[in-house]
Amino acid sequence: MSPELKFSETFTVYHALPSGISLIAKTDGAIGGGLHGEKRGQAEIEAAMRERSIDVGAIFYQEFQAQLEASGAFEVANRGEEYDATIALEIDAYGLMIGLTFAPPLYPILSVKATMTSRDGRVIWRQSAGVRPNTGKNKTGYRIDEYIADPERLREVFQNALRLAAQSLVEKLPAK
C-alpha cells in the first residue's frame, strides 16, 4: 500500500445556522445576528496556523498512516518499494464551526475521502468520512480569541478531528 495526499487549500471559519442566517462572532466571544455574515477571525487563524506550521494535510497523512499500520489491514510500502495498491487521501473541506448550541465555541469541521486503486488503476475501494461540531468524540472547541491567543489549540482540535476521520476510514477498509 502506498498512501498519497491531496487537500483543499481553503480553510473556512463558518458562522452559519442551518437556516442560512449567519452569525457574527466578536473577539470577546459575544454573538450578534446578521444576514450577511462575517468570517471574523479567519485571517488571524490562518496566519496563526502558518506561523505555527499547523499543516492539516500532513497531520491527516500521519494519522491515517498510523491508523493503517496499527490496524494491520495492509502493509505500508516505503518510497521506491513495490506495492499492490495506492490509497489517495483527500481533504475536501476543513474549518471551524459553531456547535449545536449555535454559540461559541467553534469546533473543527472537515470532510475527507479515500480511494484505493490497484497498480493498474482500477478503483478497489472508495470511502468518505466527516467530522462535525461537538458530535461523537469531537467535543473540544474554543472561541476565536482563544485560538488566536494560543494557536496550539488549533493543532489540538484538528489533530483530534483528523484522528477521528482516519479511524473511520480505516475501519471501513475492505479485507485483504
Side-chain angles (χ1 to χ4, degrees):
M1 186 66 52
S2 174
E4 296 177 355
L5 174 71
K6 297 183 240 178
F7 82 100
S8 169
E9 295 290 335
T10 305
F11 170 82
T12 305
V13 176
Y14 299 93
H15 300 289
L17 292 171
S19 66
I21 297 173
S22 296
L23 298 176
I24 301 169
K26 299 177 183 173
T27 56
D28 64 0
I31 295 289
L35 293 176
H36 303 294
E38 177 185 332
K39 293 180 180 173
R40 165 64 189 92
Q42 181 159 331
E44 293 95 331
I45 287 175
E46 287 176 333
M49 289 178 75
R50 279 190 304 277
E51 189 176 292
R52 293 289 178 103
S53 301
I54 300 170
D55 184 337
V56 173
I59 293 169
F60 182 52
Y61 184 89
Q62 291 165 356
E63 287 295 337
F64 185 84
Q65 186 165 348
Q67 294 289 330
L68 185 62
E69 288 174 355
S71 76
F74 294 92
E75 186 178 332
V76 179
N78 293 315
R79 293 208 185 275
E81 289 182 345
E82 287 290 315
Y83 57 89
D84 297 318
T86 299
I87 294 181
L89 304 172
E90 186 173 349
I91 299 175
D92 291 333
Y94 69 105
L96 299 169
M97 187 175 209
I98 292 172
L100 299 175
T101 62
F102 305 115
L106 297 172
Y107 299 88
I109 182 172
L110 55 93
S111 172
V112 298
K113 292 179 187 173
T115 305
M116 183 188 302
T117 55
S118 64
R119 213 180 312 180
D120 63 5
R122 185 175 40 89
V123 174
I124 301 168
W125 169 83
R126 182 175 288 149
Q127 196 61 245
S128 61
V131 175
R132 302 289 172 252
N134 69 340
T135 56
K137 294 182 181 178
N138 185 31
K139 296 191 182 295
T140 303
Y142 299 97
R143 294 187 328 261
I144 286 178
D145 59 326
E146 292 174 310
Y147 284 120
I148 294 168
D150 184 2
E152 286 306 308
R153 289 179 172 171
L154 290 161
R155 186 182 316 275
E156 171 195 350
V157 298
F158 280 114
Q159 182 110 31
N160 181 58
L162 292 160
R163 182 178 303 116
L164 294 172
Q167 281 176 338
S168 177
L169 290 173
V170 169
E171 287 170 0
K172 297 173 186 174
L173 277 169
K176 288 185 188 181

